[in-house]
Amino acid sequence: MREEPRIHPYLGILFGVSAVSTASIIIRLSGAPALAIASYRLFFATLILLPFFLLEGSVKELRALSPRGFSVLIGTGVVLAAHFGSWITSLKLTSVASSVILVNVAPIFVAVLSHFYLKERATTRVWLGIVTAFIGATIISLGDVGRGEESLLGDLLAAVGAVMLALYLLAGRRIRQNLGLLAYVMPVYMVSALTLFVSCLSAGVPLMPYSQEEFVIFLALAVVPMIFGHTVYNWALRYVEAPIVAVTLLGEPVGAILLAAFFLREVPGPVVAFGGVLTLLGIYLAAST
């Protein structure tokens, strides 16, 4: 730990994971296209954080970045946009359980990418976790076969979202060594929002008009899972050790599945449930070394 935080990091993690777990339920309440939901989620999050970003003096930190560092920051925002675009689309096509479990295999991709590109050699336990998670994800997909091609496409998009999330985490691991929290998340969120807006215009997805209820949903996504979830979670993870991080990563899909069962009456079938348990076990094995 570099400094003693005012709030206990474990409390921050619990709060962040609980907030992030609500994302899939809030998204299901919206009738807007997935890209529009993702765009406004990042747009409102950027607007909310902007005053704090300016008061914090984070602009000076960004000015000190090298052109290469700034380019990496922009690229990270584009990757985050791809993550949200693909994952939110998956929620429109497949079950909450399949979507949130598959998108959270990101630590598996982080382990693989770290092994081959960062030369951080994976241990036997990591490879065991990768294989276990892969088997679990395959079982989930097999469980969704009976639900049609749309569900399988949703599973695939959730997996794409996991790859994008892994790239986002790897980039953030390096960038955050030289940047404060707001100096990092603010430009990344802004670039992500702009990328998603451009994607909507290119794909012919309408950005207006939407009802007041829809904008309340967009704002709720920005405040609860984005600000109180992702941002608080990223802050808290700076102070905790790797095994604790691994355990908390399992909290989001578990929380989301429980919320979906309670509010949406969407209970995963036995095949998907079994595959989910294997996948979460694999993530734990790979990430807690």
Side-chain angles (χ1 to χ4, degrees):
M1 295 185 185
R2 295 181 180 178
E3 73 248 9
E4 195 67 29
R6 295 181 180 180
I7 302 173
H8 199 291
Y10 291 173
L11 181 61
I13 287 176
L14 177 62
F15 186 79
V17 171
S18 299
V20 169
S21 298
T22 65
S24 56
I25 308 303
I26 298 175
I27 289 168
R28 282 293 187 89
L29 296 177
S30 175
L35 281 180
I37 296 173
S39 299
Y40 280 111
R41 172 178 179 165
L42 271 300
F43 174 69
F44 283 128
T46 301
L47 285 184
I48 293 169
L49 289 177
L50 182 58
F52 302 98
F53 170 78
L54 296 174
L55 291 173
E56 185 79 10
S58 300
V59 175
K60 293 181 180 179
E61 291 187 68
L62 292 179
R63 286 176 178 172
L65 275 181
S66 65
R68 184 177 182 277
F70 202 76
S71 298
V72 173
L73 201 62
I74 293 174
T76 304
V78 174
V79 167
L80 184 61
H83 160 69
F84 279 120
S86 56
W87 175 61
I88 292 177
T89 302
S90 80
L91 273 172
K92 297 282 188 176
L93 301 173
T94 191
S95 67
V96 169
S98 296
S99 180
V100 296
I101 290 173
L102 291 174
V103 81
N104 276 283
V105 300
I108 298 299
F109 291 113
V110 168
V112 173
L113 292 171
S114 296
H115 178 83
F116 290 106
Y117 295 104
L118 299 182
K119 306 306 179 184
E120 298 176 354
R121 296 305 176 187
T123 64
T124 301
R125 175 170 172 161
V126 170
W127 287 116
L128 177 61
I130 290 172
V131 172
T132 302
F134 178 78
I135 293 173
T138 302
I139 291 174
I140 290 174
S141 297
L142 290 175
D144 283 340
V145 167
R147 302 182 64 203
E149 295 182 1
E150 192 174 76
S151 292
L152 291 177
L153 177 59
D155 292 348
L156 176 61
L157 287 171
V160 171
V163 175
M164 295 299 106
L165 182 58
L167 293 173
Y168 170 67
L169 293 174
L170 286 171
R173 178 191 297 179
R174 293 196 169 187
I175 298 173
R176 279 281 280 129
Q177 292 177 359
N178 301 313
L179 284 179
L181 180 63
L182 286 175
Y184 170 61
V185 300
M186 179 64 190
V188 168
Y189 289 0
M190 181 182 296
V191 170
S192 185
L194 289 173
T195 302
L196 287 163
F197 277 134
V198 171
S199 298
C200 285
L201 295 175
S202 301
V205 175
L207 292 171
M208 294 288 285
Y210 290 108
S211 65
Q212 290 184 349
E213 289 78 9
E214 285 290 353
F215 278 104
V216 169
I217 291 173
F218 299 155
L219 185 59
L221 280 170
V223 173
V224 182
M226 202 71 212
I227 303 286
F228 291 151
H230 280 269
T231 306
V232 172
Y233 193 47
N234 285 334
W235 166 83
L237 291 182
R238 182 180 182 184
Y239 304 100
V240 300
E241 299 176 354
I244 304 299
V245 174
V247 173
T248 61
L249 287 173
L250 307 181
E252 181 185 349
V254 172
I257 291 170
L258 291 176
L259 288 173
F262 184 80
F263 289 104
L264 304 178
R265 299 294 186 265
E266 190 175 293
V267 180
V271 176
V272 172
F274 177 66
V277 171
L278 279 183
T279 304
L280 294 177
L281 175 60
I283 294 171
Y284 175 78
L285 290 174
S288 63
T289 55

